[in-house]
Amino acid sequence: MSTCRVCAGPLTEFLDLGAQPNSDAFLRPGETDGEFFFRLAVGRCGSCTMVQLMEEVPRERMFHRDYPYHSSGSSVMREHFENTARRLLATEATGSDPFVVEIGCNDGVMLATVGRAGVRHLGVDPSEGVADEARAKGVRVRTAFFEESTALGIAAAEGRANVVYAANTLCHIPYLDSVFRGLDALLKPDGVFVFEDPYLGEIVERTSFDQIYDEHFYFFTARSVRNLARRHGFELVDVLRLPVHGGEVRYTLARRGTRPPTAAVAEMLAEEERKALAEPATLERFAADVRRTRDELVALLKGLHADGRRVVAYGATAKSATVANYCGIGPELVSSVYDTTPAKQGRLTPGSHIPVRPSEAFDEPYPDYALLFAWNHAEEIMAKEREFRAAGGKWILYTPRVRVLE
Ligand code: DWN
Ligand code: SAH
Ligand code: ZN
């Protein structure tokens, strides 16, 4: 039996998404042999309630020199992180010579604003390619996995931090014991750890099961985060819901006794209890919703195929690996995926082997239907591609339910 990666309690599996590849391992045509697969399944800890993957993929397989995801690829996300930086600068990076550390800084989308403000900062990210892009923006980066040893090295060389921030990264790190020992060494006595990740409450509500893939190891709730923090001498002192990436929560942790929790913490905990959010029956219901989504999406795509419609996809997201591989969607149902990321273009999607083409080629000619894999960027993409609908094209969405936008 698998045990919880946080507390070693018993894990109960509630959803099996089958054999899956590395979600960000886009293949060169002709290089599809020997592709890596693992079993993607999710369970819940009976002791601390943490929802997590049943199997861990070695981190070096996912985060390396060629990691293709660039945080700056969305204008909405650029604005989100600029605002985040301004907020951290105003509220946490105060006093004389403040120091801001970011775990998983990627291409510097957040820290560039901190750097421009002349505030001492350091990003930590193991993916060299994106780290180099951050450096090109004047951001200081250590190419490393954040863990206890990294944190000790930073504290020794640069002193302690006012704030450590992580967006869409803490949920990627199975070894949280080491991370928290590191945070304890790195944060000033009154420093805070602020992190934001997809919220299990939204995933369940929207049946956005594609948030589950190799890189996303944990699916947090206020309750599981509070339990996690307490194990390590911290307290959950604030929560804030964020609209980005289909619904996230920003959690603020402080050393126990240093800051009083806000009313928002108690409210979110109460709401989770009212909704029985991470209770087994809710998770079983979610798993049934996922299976229904799969059946409806496959039926829709097969029907369109039978009718001779041309169907493509938009956004070669990491998330879409789960959808394509779980539903068995390949190039026969979806002929190509359009994406702005140069590192993904000309490649094949992992596992499903659908060719990725530059988004500029989307209108050559427009397809009949486009499956929006990057549904979390729907507003931005639909605005950019408004001509598609004007030309009679139709978007297909699968969250919160399978539907064609007329
Ligand atoms: O947690 C993670 C999030 C932050 O980013 C990582 N583990 C990996 C990655 O997940 P993802 O690939 O599912 O993220 P996105 O932001 O949904 O990816 C959007 C994709 O769509 C990118 O490949 C870029 C592309 N795109 C596009 O072609 N046109 C995006 C926009 C906004 C566009 O206009
Ligand atoms: N913060 C950005 C990037 C998210 S993608 C955003 O929100 O858009 C996740 C990033 O975390 C990748 O750049 C990856 O290289 C990095 N990462 C993964 N494990 C890490 C670890 N242990 N320490 C630091 N960064 C890590
Ligand atoms: Zn546990």
Side-chain angles (χ1 to χ4, degrees):
M1 190 185 67
S2 299
T3 53
C4 173
R5 204 67 170 75
V6 170
C7 78
L11 275 189
T12 305
E13 183 176 319
F14 60 86
L15 178 62
D16 182 355
L17 293 163
Q20 293 279 347
N22 282 127
S23 59
D24 265 316
F26 291 83
L27 308 163
R28 287 189 185 81
E31 277 189 2
T32 52
D33 284 353
E35 200 175 356
F36 170 86
F37 284 92
F38 73 109
R39 192 176 80 91
L40 180 65
V42 207
R44 170 197 189 263
C45 173
S47 300
C48 75
T49 78
M50 186 67 84
V51 172
Q52 59 200 276
L53 296 192
M54 302 297 291
E55 256 186 52
E56 181 177 338
V57 172
R59 60 188 189 176
E60 291 80 7
R61 276 197 167 276
M62 302 185 278
F63 311 115
H64 44 67
R65 193 171 40 89
D66 298 322
Y67 183 68
Y69 183 70
H70 288 66
S71 304
S72 297
S74 149
S75 61
V76 171
M77 293 313 299
R78 286 197 298 276
E79 194 185 326
H80 169 76
F81 286 119
E82 200 176 312
N83 291 336
T84 302
R86 289 219 190 88
R87 198 183 169 89
L88 292 178
L89 288 169
T91 60
E92 301 299 339
T94 55
S96 70
D97 191 26
F99 182 35
V100 178
V101 173
E102 183 177 15
I103 306 175
C105 65
N106 198 271
D107 63 6
V109 67
M110 195 288 285
L111 282 180
T113 302
V114 176
R116 271 197 303 274
V119 168
R120 208 153 58 81
H121 66 272
L122 184 67
V124 182
D125 202 302
S127 300
E128 280 173 51
V130 287
D132 281 342
E133 291 189 21
R135 289 187 187 102
K137 294 175 184 148
V139 171
R140 291 185 58 238
V141 188
R142 241 182 222 220
T143 310
F145 287 95
F146 187 92
E147 56 192 337
E148 184 179 17
S149 60
T150 327
L152 289 170
I154 296 169
E158 321 216 9
R160 294 194 177 211
N162 299 56
V163 53
V164 175
Y165 172 76
N168 305 299
T169 300
L170 197 72
C171 75
H172 294 54
I173 311 183
Y175 41 98
L176 292 180
D177 270 19
S178 176
V179 166
F180 272 89
R181 285 195 302 272
L183 288 168
D184 201 25
L186 183 55
L187 283 171
K188 288 180 179 170
D190 58 348
V192 289
F193 177 43
V194 179
F195 64 99
E196 59 198 59
D197 285 294
Y199 180 47
L200 183 69
E202 295 277 8
I203 295 173
V204 167
E205 207 154 301
R206 300 182 192 216
T207 320
S208 44
F209 67 100
D210 56 350
Q211 291 288 9
I212 305 165
Y213 53 92
D214 55 350
E215 297 173 22
H216 285 181
F217 189 83
Y218 291 113
F219 304 90
F220 298 131
T221 63
R223 184 177 175 196
S224 64
V225 166
R226 184 188 56 171
N227 292 346
L228 170 70
R230 286 184 174 170
R231 287 181 71 78
H232 300 285
F234 286 83
E235 186 62 61
L236 175 61
V237 296
D238 199 17
V239 287
L240 178 70
R241 294 187 79 131
L242 304 170
V244 296
H245 289 307
E248 304 203 316
V249 171
R250 178 179 292 162
Y251 306 90
T252 301
L253 311 189
R255 285 198 174 77
R256 260 195 125 156
T258 58
R259 292 192 196 196
T262 61
V265 175
E267 279 161 24
M268 192 172 285
L269 288 166
E271 187 189 331
E272 289 179 356
E273 200 175 331
R274 203 166 56 244
K275 292 187 169 165
L277 173 55
E279 292 308 320
T282 308
L283 297 174
E284 289 296 340
R285 204 159 50 236
F286 165 68
D289 290 344
V290 172
R291 290 188 284 269
R292 195 178 49 243
T293 296
R294 174 195 56 191
D295 295 346
E296 289 178 7
L297 182 59
V298 170
L300 173 65
L301 294 176
K302 285 193 169 158
L304 293 173
H305 179 70
D307 289 347
R309 306 289 179 188
R310 191 162 82 90
V311 182
V312 306
Y314 205 105
T317 56
K319 293 184 288 292
S320 67
T322 297
V323 180
N325 289 286
Y326 176 62
C327 300
I329 299 168
E332 61 296 335
L333 290 181
V334 166
S335 54
S336 21
V337 187
Y338 293 88
D339 194 286
T340 49
T341 315
K344 296 180 182 178
Q345 296 164 355
R347 306 266 182 138
L348 302 175
T349 57
S352 51
H353 305 167
I354 304 170
V356 183
R357 306 185 63 207
S359 47
E360 294 80 44
F362 184 49
D363 64 354
E364 299 173 1
Y366 280 128
D368 299 311
Y369 292 82
L371 175 60
L372 188 55
F373 277 149
W375 53 268
N376 47 310
H377 301 295
E379 226 175 287
E380 182 173 349
I381 290 173
M382 287 183 189
K384 199 186 288 183
E385 300 289 1
R386 65 176 74 79
E387 292 285 305
F388 169 54
R389 283 179 94 176
K394 293 189 170 79
W395 291 104
I396 301 173
L397 290 169
Y398 51 87
T399 173
R401 59 186 192 286
V402 176
R403 66 195 198 282
V404 176
L405 295 191
E406 294 296 338

